[in-house]
Structures are given as structure tokens and as C-alpha cells.
Amino acid sequence: MSMQIYAAQAETAPDNAGFADPEKVLRTIFPVAETGFDPAATRDLYSNVVNEVIFERLFSYDYLASPARIVPETAEKLPEISEDGKTYLIRLKKNIYFTPDEMFQGKKRELTMDDYAYSLKRLMDPKIASSHRWLLEGKILGLDACTEKAKKTGKFDYDAKIPGLEVVDKYTLRIRLTRPDFNLPMILAYTATSAVAREVIEKYQDLQGQVMGNPVGTGPYRLTEWVRGSKIVLEANRNYRPVFWDAEPGKDPADQQIVRAMKGKRIPQIGKVIVHVILEDQSRLLAFQKDESDLFQLYGGLAPQVLKDGKLKPEFQKKGIQLSRIIDPELTIYYWNMQDPVFGGLSKEKIALRRAVAMAHRVEDEIRIVDNGEAVPLEFPIPPGVVGHDPDYRSSIQYDPVAANALLDKFGYKKGKDGYRNLPDGQPFEIHYTTQTESRGHLQAEVWKKTYDSVGIRMQADFRPFAEILKAEKQCQLTQRISPWMADYPDGDNFMQLFYGKNIHMNNNGCMEIPEYDRLYEASQQLPAGPERDLLYHKMARILEVYAPQRIGYARYRNMLAQPRVIGYKKHPIMHVEWPFIDIDKNK
């Protein structure tokens, strides 16, 4: 892989009393390589971690509130919503400025509502092919018509008047919806809806309209060095407006200690963040143990070396190491590509094939072997901590290898002399199971090889780099993969949309299109959270079990380790990153 280095231009720092100390440096680690820093185009979690501190959204989340609570970020206050729930009036804070860039010709470039309107339009530009298009599709008056016109003309008209995106003045945006969307404030708190400057995009965009290598935002940090797939350096944005730490503590007693340590401090306190990309689990842990990293995510494969019964081992406690542990609002599924000629389709024998494999896989074994028990099996598509989760739901797909083999026998998948099954027409077949090249991927492949062997199906492991997997997956080119999804926002809609037919090539990684499911999903979007919507979600979950385009897997524990010098850290369930809200004790 070729190495590219990005260096930001210098900027003049205004008087910033109490602002980020350049000598306070936070060192952290990504387990996979980033892909780039364009909010509309970025699809992976770790690139969005960086996006979240460079760019800003209209809304964000309170750092400590539990359950998660929306608060203004660049917006002056929470939106004014009409009685029918279809019109949102949002007012912007004044005197927010982008970091300097040559496109601004030495002038201070203020953030305006034109920037947010432009940024939302970019999500719908067919040329950019944003995987986040589903956030707005079919929701904003006139926006889809612009997209359809762009498909015909080859160019999105960013100057066209869109009734649903009315810039009333520099600081006021009126959004008109085609139907009520009770999650709109959460959508406007998601990284993809961050504000970018049009002139910057038009200057640096590639042929696809993306700007992955020159992020210019209004957030608390700016990118100053980038060695692709190796190192990312961020420095505090010296032009960042005065923002002060003011979070509401949740029920956790430890929150009070964080409040005492951080309340009233100017954001951010840390002057520099250095991210190293380290692919191997053991190498990441070693870097943390050698005090080469301040903040580190402990994946399940390493957990027994550090934790016992979910708590730090005594030797780590003695060193003052801190642990923040939550069940991630995450759904990991195992999908089969519904466009695959062997495993896809809705005919009875294809359904039987997928259901049999789903019943042959023991999720608890995978959790034990791959994650050392650091995950919880799920039966419902909506995980804990997310509105719509049902802890009492029981899936009709349960581990039963005897029934799985009987089902394959019944539908004509007979075993040959070599002990492996053939298709009903007698032709041999095999599954290509795709996973990452790192050690975790090899463990997953071993577990799934045992699953397929247990029902007499040949399996070939297909190891690829993470970025290559994401690209192929989006084009429906993979047959099977373990696919984790972290909540963009804490509502069940964010998970049920993963299986919606119109989200193929975006978030519907299994490329499934089941009309019955799609009708129920569209009906669920008309409803607020509550029993009526929950009933639809239950019906949708049963459809997933009947057709078995995927198998529900698990949600992992997130174990974040911090060195003693880190102050105020607590893993937030929805925000990607907490760097702006923590501090460093330089004396430790």
C-alpha cells in the first residue's frame, strides 16, 4: 500500500485561556486502517471517529446522561417542531468558523445554515453514492426529486430550491418532511450530517465527488498529519469557539467523580491526539502495557489477560489502570447474500439451506472461542440499550444440528461419498466465507468451518483486508460474512433498516429484498416508539427467521482501558469518540 502524508497549513492562534494544552497528548490505537475523512462518503467506524472531532453536527449527545439524551451542538437549541411533526425549525449559533484553508483566501469563514443544507444534499447525490442516503431518502420534500433528476442528467443541482430544505436566513433552517420522522434530531446528530464547506468540496473533490483527504470542519480538532493505514495526528483547533464542559450525570456513582474533575473546563483540554493503526491484538495490548498508548479498546480475544469476571485483574488495578465497560448498542449478524446463485433466493430449497446452517451454528461457541465470553447472544434484531429492544423475545431459530441435517436431507441436499453435500440437482457446491486477515478473522473462520462441517457443506475461507471487504460487500459480491452494526442513533429503526430492500448497496449487506418485510418496515416508520411499532418489529423479526437471509448473532462488551493519567473518561454508547470531553494529568 502506498503511503500518503497529509499536513495541514499553519494557523494563527487567538488568545485561548484555559484551552487545550499542547503538552497534553493523548495516544490511542485503531485496530483497522481508516478509509478517509468525508462525512458523506465515509462508511467505516474508525474514519468516522476522526470525522466526529473535525466536523460538527447540529445536535449531539450529553456526555453522561443515561439513557442517551440529545443536546444542541452547533444549533442554538433543540428544534421547534410543528404539531403534525412534519416541520422542524432549527436555529444556528453565530460566530462559528471553519478551520483556515486556502479556499477561504485568508478570511474567516463562518458556518451558516447554507452549509448544512448543502451537506444534507450531498448525502443524496448519486455520484457520491453515500451509504448514508437512507437517512434522508423519502423524507424531505423535494429532495428525492433532485436525486432522480441527477440520475438522468449526471449532475446534482445543488442550487435548486428544495421545499423541504428552506434556508430562512444565515442562521435558520426549516426542514419540511413528507411524513413525521420521530428520529430526525438523532439523525442530525449523526456524523454523516456534519457540515462541510461547499467551496472546499468543489476544490478538492475526486471524480466521485468525494473529499477523503482534506477535511476542513468547525470541530474541536483538525488533521495535521496522516500516513495512510499507519498514523493519524490531530491537534486542537485554535479557532474553536469557547465551549465548556457541562454534562448531566447519570445514575452511575462514578459520574459524580467525573463531574467534579471536569465541570467548567474549556473543551478540549487535550492539545494533540496521536492515533496509530495496529492490526494485531497482542501488539495493541503490548503497546498499552508499555505505556505507549493512553486509551485502548480491549477486544474479547485479549480479555483473559486483563479481566476476570468482567473486572480488572489485581495487577492492573494496582497500576491505576481504568476500565470503562458497556454492552455496545451493536448487532452482529451472519448474512448470506440473497443475490448469490446458490445461497440466495426465496425458493423453498434455498430457504431450507439457509435455515439449516442458521440452526447448525452455535453463537455461544463463537462468543467463547473468538471473544472469550466478551459478548452476549441476541435473539432479537434490536440490541440492549436501544429503544425497541425486547429482552423476553425468543427466536424460532435455535441451535439444533440434528434438525438442520434432517432439513437438508428433506430438500435434496444429499451427501456424496466424500461426506459433503451436493445441490438437489447433484452438482457439488461450497460456501465462500469472507473475513478479515487478522487473527480474529482466522478464529471466526475456524468456528464457521466446524459449523459447515457439521451439516456436510464445504467451506472455503476468503481472507481480505477490512477496506476491501467493505467495498465488495457494498456491491453484493460476498457470499457470507459476519457483519457488525453499531448504532448510529439509539432507536430500533436504525437496526431494522439493515434488512430493508431499498437499502441494498448501503447498509443492507445481505442484499435481501423480501416484499412482506419491506411493507412492514415502511409502516413502522410512520409510528412513534411504542407498543404499536413494537408489534410490527416482532412480525419483521419472525419474517427474518422464516426466510433466514441472516442469523442474529450477538452484541459485544466494549472494554475501554485508560492509563491513570486520563481524567474523566467514560465510554459513551452512541458517540464514536470522547476525546474532546476528557483531560490528561501531565504529572502522571
Side-chain angles (χ1 to χ4, degrees):
M1 180 182 292
S2 62
M3 305 265 278
Q4 297 185 20
I5 296 179
Y6 169 90
Q9 66 181 48
E11 57 177 305
T12 304
D15 180 25
N16 275 320
F19 188 63
D21 183 343
E23 294 183 9
K24 292 180 179 178
V25 179
L26 181 77
R27 302 158 302 165
T28 189
I29 299 170
F30 285 174
V32 296
E34 75 297 331
T35 58
F37 312 116
D38 182 334
T42 301
R43 188 171 181 233
D44 65 290
L45 170 63
Y46 295 99
S47 299
N48 272 324
V49 165
V50 176
N51 285 340
E52 195 166 277
V53 296
I54 291 177
F55 302 96
E56 289 187 292
R57 283 104 358 242
L58 286 163
F59 305 106
S60 184
Y61 292 90
D62 187 286
Y63 181 51
L64 294 179
S66 181
R69 183 169 68 89
I70 291 284
V71 295
E73 185 162 81
T74 60
E76 198 173 70
K77 58 183 179 180
L78 294 178
E80 299 170 26
I81 308 172
S82 63
E83 285 189 18
D84 64 3
K86 293 168 66 175
T87 302
Y88 283 69
L89 190 70
I90 305 169
R91 303 184 193 280
L92 185 67
K93 294 171 185 171
K94 299 177 181 179
N95 299 315
I96 297 176
Y97 297 95
F98 284 92
T99 55
D101 185 85
E102 63 181 35
M103 285 308 299
F104 304 145
Q105 301 177 341
K107 300 176 183 177
K108 293 179 72 174
R109 170 60 160 83
E110 189 177 11
L111 175 71
T112 71
M113 278 303 193
D114 277 316
D115 298 312
Y116 278 104
Y118 172 75
S119 300
L120 294 175
K121 292 174 186 176
R122 289 188 74 228
L123 299 182
M124 298 293 287
D125 187 340
K127 183 171 71 170
I128 295 171
S130 175
S131 61
H132 310 294
R133 187 177 74 238
W134 68 276
L135 292 166
L136 304 179
E137 202 166 40
K139 296 180 181 180
I140 296 179
L141 280 174
L143 187 54
D144 289 80
C146 271
T147 300
E148 291 307 311
K149 185 178 179 181
K151 288 178 181 178
K152 295 175 183 177
T153 64
K155 185 176 181 181
F156 193 98
D157 185 358
Y158 284 97
D159 295 312
K161 295 293 183 183
I162 296 173
L165 287 175
E166 180 192 354
V167 179
V168 180
D169 57 47
K170 282 177 65 174
Y171 307 108
T172 311
L173 176 66
R174 183 179 286 114
I175 299 177
R176 294 186 176 92
L177 304 176
T178 59
R179 62 177 187 271
D181 184 345
F182 303 96
N183 293 323
L184 186 63
M186 288 188 280
I187 289 171
L188 297 177
Y190 180 52
T191 316
T193 65
S194 300
V196 296
R198 180 173 180 175
E199 59 267 46
V200 171
I201 298 298
E202 291 179 348
K203 167 70 175 178
Y204 300 112
Q205 65 187 353
D206 60 19
L207 293 176
Q208 200 175 337
Q210 301 179 358
V211 181
M212 298 295 264
N214 198 80
V216 179
T218 62
Y221 287 95
R222 63 189 186 103
L223 183 67
T224 57
E225 183 182 347
W226 180 25
V227 183
R228 284 186 181 270
S230 177
K231 183 181 180 182
I232 301 163
V233 179
L234 298 145
E235 292 183 3
N237 171 14
R238 311 309 295 182
N239 291 278
Y240 191 56
R241 65 193 179 281
V243 177
F244 297 91
W245 202 102
D246 186 26
E248 293 293 329
K251 297 177 182 178
D252 186 345
D255 288 359
Q256 297 294 342
Q257 184 177 347
I258 293 175
V259 170
R260 287 193 295 271
M262 295 299 299
K263 193 171 182 66
K265 287 186 177 181
R266 188 160 172 192
I267 293 174
Q269 285 290 297
I270 295 170
K272 180 184 287 188
V273 179
I274 301 174
V275 181
H276 285 101
V277 178
I278 304 177
L279 301 181
E280 285 300 324
D281 286 355
Q282 196 64 52
S283 299
R284 292 195 296 272
L285 178 57
L286 184 61
F288 184 80
Q289 289 176 311
K290 292 169 64 178
D291 199 13
E292 295 171 355
S293 172
D294 299 295
L295 200 56
F296 164 63
Q297 182 175 351
L298 180 74
Y299 283 97
L302 297 172
Q305 298 184 43
V306 181
L307 305 179
K308 185 175 181 181
D309 299 326
K311 297 182 179 180
L312 288 169
K313 288 183 174 180
E315 58 266 35
F316 288 90
Q317 292 183 27
K318 290 177 182 176
K319 293 178 180 178
I321 301 300
Q322 304 172 68
L323 169 67
S324 182
R325 175 178 167 89
I326 64 170
I327 297 176
D328 263 336
E330 171 197 66
L331 170 66
T332 292
I333 62 167
Y334 319 109
Y335 70 75
W336 293 273
N337 182 352
M338 291 293 281
Q339 297 181 6
D340 184 80
V342 174
F343 283 82
L346 299 178
S347 59
K348 289 183 179 180
E349 74 277 5
K350 302 293 183 65
I351 295 170
L353 175 59
R354 295 190 300 269
R355 280 181 65 89
V357 179
M359 288 191 293
H361 189 66
R362 191 169 187 174
V363 176
E364 290 82 358
D365 284 349
E366 182 177 337
I367 290 173
R368 175 175 52 83
I369 294 168
V370 179
D371 286 299
N372 285 296
E374 290 296 307
V376 293
L378 300 179
E379 305 214 11
F380 197 58
I382 302 171
V386 174
V387 175
H389 171 68
D390 183 354
D392 299 319
Y393 183 90
R394 292 295 173 263
S395 171
S396 61
I397 300 288
Q398 297 292 333
Y399 176 65
D400 192 341
V402 174
N405 277 285
L407 188 61
L408 291 170
D409 290 338
K410 179 179 179 180
F411 281 87
Y413 295 91
K414 303 298 183 184
K415 287 185 177 179
K417 293 180 181 179
D418 60 359
Y420 287 103
R421 296 183 185 274
N422 296 317
L423 293 172
D425 64 4
Q427 294 297 311
F429 75 105
E430 66 180 13
I431 183 87
H432 283 260
Y433 169 83
T434 302
T435 189
Q436 291 170 227
T437 54
E438 293 80 46
S439 56
R440 177 182 174 83
H442 285 265
L443 284 174
Q444 289 171 331
E446 289 174 15
V447 171
W448 272 92
K449 180 70 165 61
K450 290 178 181 177
T451 293
Y452 281 109
D453 282 346
S454 74
V455 287
I457 295 176
R458 303 171 187 86
M459 188 198 98
Q460 288 290 331
D462 172 26
F463 297 105
R464 304 191 194 188
F466 181 63
E468 185 180 321
I469 289 174
L470 291 181
K471 184 177 180 181
E473 185 173 67
K474 195 173 181 182
Q475 300 304 317
C476 299
Q477 294 173 349
L478 306 181
T479 304
Q480 192 203 357
R481 181 191 169 222
I482 294 177
S483 180
W485 178 264
M486 284 284 295
D488 299 324
Y489 51 87
D491 185 81
D493 176 75
N494 192 229
F495 291 88
M496 303 310 280
Q497 60 87 22
L498 296 172
F499 316 107
Y500 181 46
K502 291 184 179 178
N503 286 350
I504 293 174
H505 304 308
M506 289 186 285
N507 304 322
N508 182 345
N509 294 333
C511 304
M512 65 170 273
E513 188 169 7
I514 300 174
E516 187 180 358
Y517 183 96
D518 290 351
R519 283 195 296 271
L520 291 173
Y521 175 71
E522 288 168 1
S524 75
Q525 287 202 302
Q526 308 291 327
L527 299 172
E532 191 177 353
R533 191 182 71 164
D534 290 345
L535 180 61
L536 294 184
Y537 283 169
H538 279 228
K539 291 180 179 179
M540 293 155 71
R542 294 300 182 201
I543 290 171
L544 295 177
E545 293 159 23
V546 168
Y547 292 100
Q550 48 73 43
R551 166 81 154 87
I552 298 295
Y554 53 84
R556 287 170 290 183
Y557 283 99
R558 182 173 293 247
N559 299 303
M560 297 299 299
L561 303 183
Q563 297 287 0
R565 68 178 67 86
V566 177
I567 300 169
Y569 181 80
K570 182 177 182 177
K571 181 68 199 109
H572 193 278
I574 303 301
M575 289 193 300
H576 293 319
V577 67
E578 299 79 13
W579 303 337
F581 305 101
I582 62 177
D583 200 354
I584 290 279
D585 184 344
K586 293 189 297 182
N587 299 318
K588 287 188 179 180

